[in-house]
Each structure stands twice: as structure tokens, then as C-alpha cells.
Amino acid sequence: MANTKNQHRKHKLIEYANGKSLEEINGTVEVPHGKGFWRTLFAYSGPGALVAVGYMDPGNWSTSITGGQSFQYTLMTTILISSLIAMLLQNMAAKLGIVSQMDLAQAIRARTGKALGVLLWIMTEFAIMATDIAEVIGAAIALNLLFHIPLVPAVFITVLDVLVLLLLTKIGFRKIEAIVACLILVILFVFAYEVALSKPVWGSAFMGLIPSEKAIAKGPIVGGISPLTGSLGIIGATVMPHNLYLHSAISQTRKLDHTNVDDIRQTVRFSMWDSNIQLSLAFVVNALLLIMGVAVFKSGAVEDSSFFGLYDALNNTSMLSNPILIGVAKSGILSTLFAVALLASGQNSTITGTLTGQVIMEGFVHMKMPLWARRLITRLISVIPVLVCVALTARESENQQHTALNLLMENSQVFLAFALPFSMLPLLLMTNSETEMGEFRNHVITRILGWISVLALTFLNLYNLPQTYEGFGIWNKATSDTLAWITIVIILALLIWTCVEMVIGDRRFAAEHKKHTWKTKPAEEN
């Protein structure tokens, strides 16, 4: 009888879900115990790769390359600091999932009311759509450049490709992890090869890692941007809210006994190793992108920073700065490798974005859909703005169409500024809580660095909103600034609401935990 009911439920398009995070893959990956360090690390490696792709997605490319071309190695320090903050926050997210057995969305929803849960879900969905737009554009342009497929069919091909890849979760989550890791290596190889050919000044590159006031200066203005604007663009494209939700969910794919503290310690430890190693690779990729901007192209040569413009520049020997590069560019290898890396980056990121959509839907609003429907709907929603943009510019010149796609990709990132504080702040509050985390709560130094990072990123995202609104090109400066300040006030009000509900919910959780501990204490002593 029970089996009949379960079979009937499987045919429903939407059903209630309040179980384990990503239930299909939760706790499905076996890990060794008492084995060597490297063998154990290999078993835990994978989730970090899925998270790292969000830090090297197509949205990062133009900001890093343009920053390098405009300000040489000055913004290397921005990439380094952004990567270190990412490591800190991602470790917190993974630890929350492992210790609490809830992903970030579930943990927030457990402490807040239904109205706020729905609001946060909608906000995070828009943020995922914003990142998806950049990823779909990147993959579609790569298909266009490599195979001359028109943009509209190319967009739909990226959707179908994601569906095929995500269906591999039925035969094992390790397959997805392996594919993503291979694509990361492709991206790393392409840019390492192109940078090696360009023979950059490595001494200057390493000196650029040292923090300097030049990275946040308002001058000089090169190509319409200042170092501060370039730094804000890199930060905005680096730390994204959906990665925190994703990591807190996929960190639970490893099988462990939650009644065994040593098991939890091992999982937390090796998840941290996995995350830091993969994010270090992401840092190297982003650094290579900036070095490309410095060493590959002549200063100020690339006026079109869109993917089309960069592809053409790698074919144009007059824009390149090194004789070896010029010789290789004539064969078309440089531009082809760039397009291959772009395709790998876009495909990687769309996989993780779709998984995150499932996490937040189940966590915030307790809704679950069949695998095929969930994947199809979330991806189709994400490509609508891209298709509209292509349709509206179909009768215009190629340059105008390329510019429109680039503007769509850049302007869509505004939603990241809305959603990021609502994931970072609750994450920090919960991982600081002894009631929630026990011995795994953040150490004092981690708490201090966490607060500095969260407050700084929130400030920078909000600080950049007026300029972002002006970049839309819809309103004049006065109107843009007014709308930006209204948005900032709304965000701050919602943050206060979220914090109040989180604190009240945490006190309720602490009281329940204390009551449960008191009831079970005699049994534990026995």
C-alpha cells in the first residue's frame, strides 16, 4: 500500500518536500576511514570543483582581462583578496551543511517565517538567473564562434546539453564531479598556455599581489573605468550567493555517521581541503585572465571587451604584444582555444546553477519537482532574457548585437548585490552559533575575519549600486542615484527583518536543543 502511494506521488509535477538536501544524491558517496591522507582526500574531492566553477564563470572574464589591460597588475591584489574571502565563506557553508545536516536555505527557513522564506527564495532565484544569463551567453557565443551556429539555436543547445549532463546524477554524482573537474583543467590549460607564450613580467605580477591604495583609487580613468570600478567589478563577479547555497548542499553527498564525532571531524577537515584546493585553482585562472590582459594585448588595443571582441583580438596580430604570440595567432590556435575555454566555463556554471535552483526551491518553499521538469523550467526561464535580447537586435549590425549581449550580461549582475548579503549574514550568524555548531563553531579569528568580509562585501555591493544603475543607460544620473538609494534602503530594511527573525529563531532553536539535551543527558551519562 505504501509503495502504491509513493508511486502515485512520483507522477505529481509539484509535491511537498521537506527532507534531506538534494535527496537523490545525499549521502551516496562512500568515503574511506583510517586510510592514507591522499586516498581520503581523493574521495572527498569533487564538491569543491562544482563550487569553484562559479568563481571562473564567463562573468569574470571581461572584468579580469579589461582590468589587466587598463591597469596592468594593480588589480592582482583584488583577485587575491576576493579569493581568500571566498575560501572563508565557502568553508563556512560546507561546514554548516555537514554539521547541521541542512543546506543554507533549509537552515534559514527553519528560523524564519513563511513570508520571508518566499521573499528570499524569489530574490535568490533572480540572482541565479543573473548568473545563468552570463553563462548561457558565454556558452552560446562559444558555439557560434567554434561552429558558426546562429545564436538562437546555440542558446537552446546549451539548455539541452545541461539536461543530458544532469541526468548523470541517476548513475552517480561522482560522474558530474569528474566532468566538471575535467572542464576546469581545460580552462586552466588554455590560459596557462596563452600566458606562457606571452612571456609576462612575473616579478611585476607577484608585486601586484601586495595590497595597495592604487587598487581602490578613483583615478586614472582608462577606457571609462577607474581602478576602484575595476576592483568592484572583480569582487562582484567573484563572490556570488548561489555558491554558498550549493556548497552547503553538496557537502552532504559524502556518507557519514552523524552520531560519530570523529566521522564529522574527518568530513569537515577534508571538505575544507577540497574547497581550498579548488578555489586556489580558480584564483590561478582569474589571475591568468588578468595577466592575459596585461601581457597578451597591447595596452588599450582592445576596445570591444565582449567575448566576440576578445576572440577577434586574438586573431588580429596588430593587437598582440609578443612576436611569438603573433606567429601562433596566424594559425588561429589562440582564438580557438579561447572559445573552447569559454564553452567549458559556460557549461560548467550552468550545471551548478541548475543544482542550486533545486536547493533553494526545496529549502525555502518546500516544493519539489521531477528531475526533468525542474531542470527544463529553470533553464528556460534563464534563457528568456538572452533570446529577447537577440531578437530585439536581430536587424541591427553585428557590433550592436554584441554590445547588447555584453550589456545584458553586465547589467544582470545587479541582482547579485541584492541577494549576497541575505546569504552571507545568516551563514555567519549560524556558523558562529555554539548551539547550532557545537565544537565546530567558528573560531574567534574566523568570526572576526567573517564579520570584516561580510560587512565589507555588503558595503561594496551597495556602494556600487548608483554606478550600476547609471550603467543601464535608461535614466539620467539624478534619477539613477535616487532609485539606487531607494533600493539600498529597501535592502537594509529587509536585512534588518532577516536578522531579527534569525535571532528569534535561533533562540527558539537553542531552547528546544537545551530541552532535548536535558531529556537525553541521563541516557548519555549511562
Side-chain angles (χ1 to χ4, degrees), residues 25-33 40-50 97-98 173-175 177-178 249-258 263 266-268 270-271 274:
I25 56 177
N26 192 292
T28 58
V29 180
E30 295 282 351
V31 292
H33 298 278
T40 308
L41 178 60
F42 177 77
Y44 280 98
S45 296
L50 287 168
I98 294 164
F173 189 63
R174 291 291 276 174
K175 304 296 189 303
E177 294 175 342
I250 60 177
S251 64
Q252 300 177 55
T253 55
R254 269 50 186 175
K255 190 175 182 179
L256 74 152
D257 180 5
H258 279 90
D263 234 18
Q266 173 177 292
T267 304
V268 170
F270 282 97
S271 293
D274 172 46

Side-chain angles (χ1 to χ4, degrees), residues 19-83:
K20 294 180 179 180
S21 180
L22 295 176
E23 194 167 6
E24 303 97 327
I25 56 177
N26 192 292
T28 58
V29 180
E30 295 282 351
V31 292
H33 298 278
K35 303 297 181 181
F37 175 83
W38 294 108
R39 182 177 174 184
T40 308
L41 178 60
F42 177 77
Y44 280 98
S45 296
L50 287 168
V51 170
V53 296
Y55 294 93
M56 57 179 89
D57 72 343
N60 292 351
W61 288 34
S62 60
T63 55
S64 294
I65 292 176
T66 303
Q69 189 188 195
S70 301
F71 308 111
Q72 300 296 295
Y73 298 106
T74 300
L75 303 187
M76 284 285 285
T77 185
T78 305
I79 294 176
L80 175 62
I81 293 172
S82 297
S83 298

Side-chain angles (χ1 to χ4, degrees), residues 440-489:
F440 300 99
R441 70 178 296 200
N442 296 329
H443 296 297
V444 175
I445 295 178
T446 304
R447 292 200 293 270
I448 293 172
L449 293 175
W451 278 113
I452 292 173
S453 301
V454 168
L455 293 176
L457 285 177
T458 301
F459 170 76
L460 288 173
N461 273 280
L462 297 182
Y463 178 75
N464 199 40
L465 271 184
Q467 188 171 4
T468 303
Y469 276 38
E470 289 174 29
F472 288 161
I474 301 174
W475 312 285
N476 58 37
K477 187 178 187 303
T479 304
S480 297
D481 290 348
T482 301
L483 291 174
W485 279 108
I486 292 173
T487 304
I488 291 171
V489 170

Side-chain angles (χ1 to χ4, degrees), residues 381-401:
I381 291 174
S382 299
V383 304
I384 287 173
V386 182
L387 294 175
V388 170
C389 181
V390 172
L392 291 176
T393 57
R395 296 185 179 180
E396 299 180 5
S397 66
E398 281 192 5
N399 286 338
Q400 288 174 313
Q401 189 177 65

